[in-house]
Amino acid sequence: MERADSNMDAYSSLPVEKWWGDENLYLWQGFWFRLQYLQATQEVHNHFDAVPSDVILASFPKTGTTWLKALLYSIINRSSRDSLITNNPHELVPSLEVQIYRRDIASAHSPARSPSGGIFNTHIPYQLLPETIKTGECRVVYITRNPKDTFVSLWHFVGNSTKPWPLEMALERFCSGVVPYGSYFDHVLGYWKESLERPKKVFFISYEELKEDPKTHVKRLAEFLGCPFSGEDEEEKEVEEIVRSCSFERLSNLEVNKSSDRPTWLPLPYSSYFRQGGMGDHKNYLDPEMIKRIDTITHEKLHGSGLVF
Ligand code: A3P
């Protein structure tokens, strides 16, 4: 492990490791960060002032964030669900550290409430959230995903950015935790434990659960968020309509989401957030040894937590 470049004074004392290509990650408080999001992450940690009506959508990258953004936006803003037709979900639910607190992009650095009524997204681990979220009244919804599918999705996403990411190298980085916001396992465990401690404030769901029975979970989410569906026929139709309008098939076929447009703050074009949208795709890329490697580390890390994938 090296130390950060000496010309970056603020970060020069942090441990640094290469993770892909020439890019380094910096270890801050036990988690790895890309430099361009580290400062914003620290600002969120120190300054974000959550209010009780805020909803924080938290996730590790590639676990279903885009989908859950669409769902939460639609559940909370039922009458303006059609906004999804012309806006990518990342426009409707901004990210704290990617959009709001970044100093190097024009619209950043304003901790104002979001246009969607206080729904914010973050990849920041639970352990590093600001105290106003950890001890306040706002609600947190965390989505996780099978680590093997998360890894394969991440590998595709990163490899699409500029240069391919060799699979073996990517697997080694993922398993050793040296990936942005990693380790994946510490990330998941932080939110999992908190959801057991404070179930009224932290809602924990997996991509797989949501995929298998979206209607039930949309209703559970609405209940948790304090805007339940009544159960009458009209409302049942509304639930079905939300599930349909946020489905992979529908969202990935909208012009806005097929677009190669990329706002300055987004790492890749909108279309990159919709790849395959299924379960078990890792079987098409990982050989039995690779699968065993992830399964073994998953067992070691999550053993005794009650969380099973
Ligand atoms: P795959 O790469 O396995 O296809 P994130 O939004 O956290 O970056 O996660 C991206 C993953 O979620 C990608 O997985 C993407 O295809 C999938 N995804 C995006 N929108 C989805 C939707 N509406 N329903 C299900 N999966 C979706």
Side-chain angles (χ1 to χ4, degrees):
M1 198 180 286
E2 302 162 22
R3 294 275 140 189
D5 299 343
S6 54
N7 59 347
M8 291 178 296
D9 287 349
Y11 302 108
S12 59
S13 61
L14 297 182
V16 56
E17 283 223 17
K18 289 226 176 318
W19 71 290
W20 158 74
D22 294 331
E23 200 176 341
N24 290 329
L25 293 183
Y26 296 82
L27 185 69
W28 181 62
Q29 310 240 2
F31 289 87
W32 293 97
F33 295 92
R34 297 175 73 180
L35 196 56
Q36 74 244 54
Y37 304 127
L38 178 53
Q39 183 179 40
T41 295
Q42 292 173 335
E43 300 241 347
V44 173
H45 174 79
N46 292 328
H47 302 299
F48 181 65
D49 199 7
V51 298
S53 58
D54 283 341
V55 175
I56 311 293
L57 187 182
S59 62
F60 188 81
K62 313 322 293 172
T63 56
T65 319
T66 312
W67 184 19
L68 193 57
K69 281 189 181 193
L71 285 170
L72 291 188
Y73 182 87
S74 304
I75 292 169
I76 293 171
N77 304 284
R78 286 173 205 177
S79 56
S80 52
R81 202 176 56 224
D82 283 353
S83 302
L84 283 167
I85 297 172
T86 46
N87 296 278
N88 175 272
H90 295 280
E91 298 283 356
L92 298 173
V93 177
S95 158
L96 288 173
E97 70 277 13
V98 176
Q99 282 149 283
I100 297 177
Y101 278 85
R102 256 180 75 185
R103 288 186 182 174
D104 55 335
I105 56 168
S107 65
H109 217 229
S110 160
R113 308 332 295 165
S114 90
S116 55
I119 316 176
F120 299 99
N121 154 239
T122 187
H123 290 319
I124 298 177
Y126 183 81
Q127 294 84 329
L128 301 181
L129 287 178
E131 282 306 309
T132 55
I133 298 180
K134 282 175 153 180
T135 56
E137 289 301 304
C138 74
R139 293 176 175 88
V140 176
V141 178
Y142 183 75
I143 184 159
T144 188
R145 189 180 192 184
N146 174 313
K148 288 169 285 194
D149 284 348
T150 302
F151 165 68
V152 164
S153 183
L154 180 71
W155 173 67
H156 277 285
F157 187 79
V158 171
N160 277 341
S161 336
T162 50
K163 52 185 137 178
W165 198 19
L167 189 61
E168 284 75 14
M169 196 183 287
L171 183 68
E172 189 283 317
R173 294 284 81 180
F174 185 80
C175 290
S176 60
V178 188
V179 284
Y181 305 98
S183 99
Y184 161 91
F185 300 99
D186 293 336
H187 201 287
V188 175
L189 277 175
Y191 283 96
W192 169 247
K193 286 180 185 157
E194 201 56 25
S195 74
L196 299 179
E197 293 271 316
R198 295 198 305 145
K200 290 206 164 80
K201 296 293 170 209
V202 182
F203 187 103
F204 189 99
I205 187 156
S206 71
Y207 184 94
E208 291 75 21
E209 287 172 306
L210 203 47
K211 205 72 187 161
E212 274 159 15
D213 188 358
K215 265 180 67 179
T216 297
H217 296 298
V218 162
K219 288 191 235 175
R220 287 183 60 225
L221 277 164
E223 190 99 36
F224 171 78
L225 295 169
C227 49
F229 294 96
S230 66
E232 286 162 17
D233 284 356
E234 271 307 292
E235 298 257 289
E236 281 293 309
K237 282 201 194 105
E238 178 85 21
V239 173
E240 275 167 27
E241 191 44 34
I242 288 177
V243 169
R244 187 200 68 79
S245 62
C246 297
S247 67
F248 181 84
E249 293 65 31
R250 197 250 185 175
L251 287 184
S252 61
N253 280 306
L254 292 171
E255 285 309 316
V256 63
N257 298 327
K258 289 200 268 186
S259 163
S260 55
D261 287 355
R262 182 179 79 84
T264 47
W265 47 266
L266 207 62
L268 285 180
Y270 290 141
S271 57
S272 309
Y273 290 81
F274 302 91
R275 188 184 64 89
Q276 192 253 1
M279 294 189 287
D281 190 39
H282 67 270
K283 294 184 195 122
N284 298 317
Y285 296 92
L286 306 182
D287 63 29
E289 206 171 305
M290 290 168 156
I291 289 179
K292 190 164 166 221
R293 185 158 178 208
I294 301 189
D295 284 346
T296 304
I297 189 167
T298 304
H299 179 75
E300 277 167 22
K301 296 278 187 184
L302 304 186
H303 183 69
S305 69
L307 180 58
V308 183
F309 284 102

